[in-house]
Amino acid sequence: LLHAVAVINLTAAVPLGMFSAWHVSLVLRGRVSVDPKDDSYDLGALKNWRVVFGESWLGWVVPIISEPAGDGVHFEMSPRRAKQLAGPLRVGGILDADAAGCLGEMKAPEKME
């Protein structure tokens, strides 16, 4: 019986450990599981950690007593990515909606005469 319990625990612990390690690496690199190659929100390992888990180390251990930075919808972009988006937003004379959406307010394209 003890052997069976150990096998069951190991069967659960290995994938959960791998899953946890993957998500810790995503947090430290400022990425998401949907697009793990996009580093638009990488602010450095410590700042990334604080954005997700809050400023207090006690909140990292007991996450119900801390609040993450921001509102959960809008996030600070890495300076490199923000600089890229601050360039020209027009593609073929029309406002690039994706780039404008990243910067906030989206404006309608101007009429061509």
Side-chain angles (χ1 to χ4, degrees):
L1 180 65
L2 188 57
H3 180 66
V5 170
V7 169
I8 291 170
N9 283 339
L10 188 60
T11 303
V14 170
L16 286 175
M18 292 170 63
F19 182 74
S20 296
W22 167 249
H23 280 84
V24 166
S25 77
L26 289 174
V27 167
L28 293 175
R29 292 181 292 141
R31 299 181 181 181
V32 294
S33 57
V34 176
D35 189 3
K37 294 181 181 181
D38 180 15
D39 64 350
S40 297
Y41 302 98
D42 186 6
L43 304 171
L46 184 58
K47 189 161 184 183
N48 291 339
W49 187 269
R50 288 182 172 161
V51 165
V52 173
F53 293 105
E55 293 289 329
S56 167
W57 67 270
L58 185 59
W60 303 347
V61 179
V62 186
I64 61 172
I65 63 170
S66 72
E67 295 196 19
D71 61 3
V73 177
H74 302 95
F75 298 92
E76 182 180 351
M77 295 190 95
S78 71
R80 181 195 53 78
R81 183 68 172 139
K83 188 174 181 179
Q84 287 175 343
L85 290 176
L89 295 176
R90 296 195 177 274
V91 178
I94 298 175
L95 185 68
D96 182 358
D98 288 337
C102 291
L103 292 176
E105 184 180 333
M106 190 167 128
K107 298 175 184 167
E110 296 173 6
K111 269 191 170 179
M112 304 280 260
E113 292 183 30

